[in-house]
Amino acid sequence: MKNSKIIGLGHYVPENVVTNSDLEKVMNTTNEWIVERTGIEKRRWFTPDKDTVANMATRATKMALERANLEAKDIEFIVFATITPDYFFPGSGVLLQRELGLQGIGALDIRNACSGFIYGLSVADQFIKTGMYKTVLVIGSEIQSSALDKSDEGRSSSVIFADGAGAAILQATETKEGILSTHLHADGDYAEELYVRDPGSSRKTRLSKEMLDGKTFNLTMNGNAVFKHAVVRFSEVITEALKQNGHTPEDIDLLVPHQANLRISNFVQKQFKLPDSKVFNNIMYYGNTTAASIPIAMSEAWEQGKIKEGELICLAAFGSGFTWASALIRW
């Protein structure tokens, strides 16, 4: 059975930079409050009529292809992770396929929020290991800013979430390098602790004035519940990956956590006694880009020389669902 190896990484973030000072002008918040609770200093929000979930994914893919020394025609399958598709349906996977000129190949959409990229990585890994495909594109792309309540009432979540896209190209390899294992979990008991209720298909009217007035189409988050569960699940799923492969925390060369909240990342870092050099965070500059956060972080870590050949890389995520996941990679 073949292994799957990440051979190219890419990312794209919108040009529109939104600082904490910018948010101070539209809601009752301060730079100090945001930094203390989230670690975020600025983020990127999309520009309407310029950025879409699909075309941001296209830009990230083109960077990944260039770094992998491949052409778009080399891609055999697309796995697209997003909870903010350009259309209610179809998913953005086919839109990306169209932009890349790859009509005819399969495109699978995944809706696992912050864990979506690792779920997608796991699907691609299985396709390659079973011999179905040799080269698979995995994308995380999100536009969250248009669903945020930017009033004082919604400030606790609107200061966190942001937009962007990240891409990874996986290819079959005969070597021992590549994805060692992936670990996927979920618990739907907590689905409403972090969700966007409407428009939902089970409503009598899919979108009504009452929904608009009640703001049920905005993101709703129980921050305390998310934090308490996240720190537990992060630790569990990282430990699970290490144990399955006979490793200890000391063996990790770089942990790339989902960029949910800097306090969560710091908490996990302390639990595993990892030095700053072994944990990559960029939430300070990009906010929480949901499914895009891990591939954006990986792409930046690679270009900064923080991911090197032969190193042990651990990815971990937690988010809406609740869902959580990890992947252990020998680069």
Side-chain angles (χ1 to χ4, degrees):
M1 187 168 66
K2 297 181 183 296
N3 284 335
S4 59
K5 181 180 180 180
I6 297 175
I7 61 167
L9 293 164
H11 68 281
Y12 171 83
V13 290
E15 295 178 355
N16 181 25
V17 179
V18 180
T19 67
N20 292 345
S21 297
D22 293 329
L23 296 183
E24 289 177 347
K25 299 171 185 176
V26 297
M27 63 184 74
N28 184 19
T29 191
T30 65
N31 174 66
E32 292 73 22
W33 187 90
I34 297 170
V35 171
E36 179 184 348
R37 286 162 176 78
T38 70
I40 300 169
E41 299 170 11
K42 54 187 176 181
R43 74 284 292 145
R44 304 294 183 97
W45 285 356
F46 86 119
T47 300
D49 300 321
K50 176 184 178 183
D51 298 313
T52 70
V53 170
N55 72 29
M56 292 195 307
T58 300
R59 295 183 182 106
T61 298
K62 289 181 177 179
M63 179 187 288
L65 285 168
E66 182 178 351
R67 290 173 171 178
N69 197 27
L70 295 178
E71 297 180 12
K73 64 181 177 60
D74 296 316
I75 297 169
E76 299 174 320
F77 193 79
I78 296 169
V79 183
F80 199 120
T82 185
I83 54 169
T84 58
D86 292 306
Y87 303 140
F88 194 85
F89 71 85
S92 290
V94 296
L95 305 183
L96 170 62
Q97 179 218 58
R98 181 172 65 188
E99 293 203 13
L100 293 173
L102 295 176
Q103 287 84 348
I105 73 168
L108 173 67
D109 287 77
I110 290 180
R111 290 176 50 85
N112 284 81
C114 302
S115 303
F117 178 78
I118 299 181
Y119 267 74
L121 205 66
S122 182
V123 171
D125 181 44
Q126 306 313 311
F127 275 140
I128 289 174
K129 284 180 175 174
T130 58
M132 188 167 184
Y133 300 111
K134 293 180 180 179
T135 306
V136 180
L137 169 65
V138 183
I139 286 286
S141 184
E142 305 279 9
I143 292 179
Q144 291 283 10
S145 60
S146 56
L148 301 176
D149 177 3
K150 301 178 182 73
S151 68
D152 290 350
E153 184 180 356
R155 64 179 177 174
S156 62
S157 57
S158 60
V159 302
I160 295 174
F161 292 95
D163 311 333
I169 298 173
L170 277 65
Q171 198 166 68
T173 177
E174 301 287 351
T175 69
K176 294 182 179 179
E177 299 168 340
I179 298 175
L180 303 179
S181 64
T182 54
H183 308 268
L184 313 178
H185 299 279
D187 188 344
D189 286 347
Y190 302 97
E192 289 77 25
E193 301 291 5
L194 175 54
Y195 80 132
V196 175
R197 186 178 188 276
D198 291 311
S201 59
S202 58
R203 317 292 176 263
K204 184 177 181 180
T205 302
R206 186 165 288 183
L207 188 61
S208 65
K209 183 177 184 302
E210 288 73 25
M211 291 177 191
L212 296 174
D213 292 342
K215 296 185 177 181
T216 56
F217 60 92
N218 290 136
L219 185 147
T220 299
M221 179 175 67
N222 181 342
N224 289 334
V226 171
F227 186 93
K228 290 177 181 178
H229 283 82
V231 293
V232 172
R233 298 308 191 186
F234 261 109
S235 298
E236 288 179 350
V237 81
I238 292 170
T239 299
E240 180 182 5
L242 291 171
K243 284 186 175 180
Q244 177 159 326
N245 294 281
H247 288 292
T248 65
E250 291 75 19
D251 298 326
I252 295 175
D253 291 300
L254 190 69
L255 171 65
V256 184
H258 162 56
Q259 304 296 295
N261 185 308
L262 190 59
R263 289 194 302 155
I264 294 175
S265 295
N266 289 342
F267 188 95
V268 174
Q269 177 180 346
K270 290 179 182 178
Q271 281 188 311
F272 288 96
K273 299 178 180 179
L274 298 174
D276 290 345
S277 61
K278 289 192 172 188
V279 182
F280 188 84
N281 289 301
N282 61 0
I283 190 172
M284 304 81 74
Y285 315 115
Y286 299 127
N288 180 345
T289 54
T290 321
S293 83
I294 286 179
I296 291 173
M298 289 179 70
S299 179
E300 283 208 326
W302 180 86
E303 69 183 16
Q304 293 173 22
K306 296 180 179 179
I307 294 179
K308 302 182 182 70
E309 187 174 348
E311 291 188 332
L312 190 67
I313 311 300
C314 185
L315 314 179
F318 175 90
S320 174
F322 287 151
T323 62
W324 59 101
S326 66
L328 200 63
I329 303 167
R330 178 64 68 184
W331 203 260

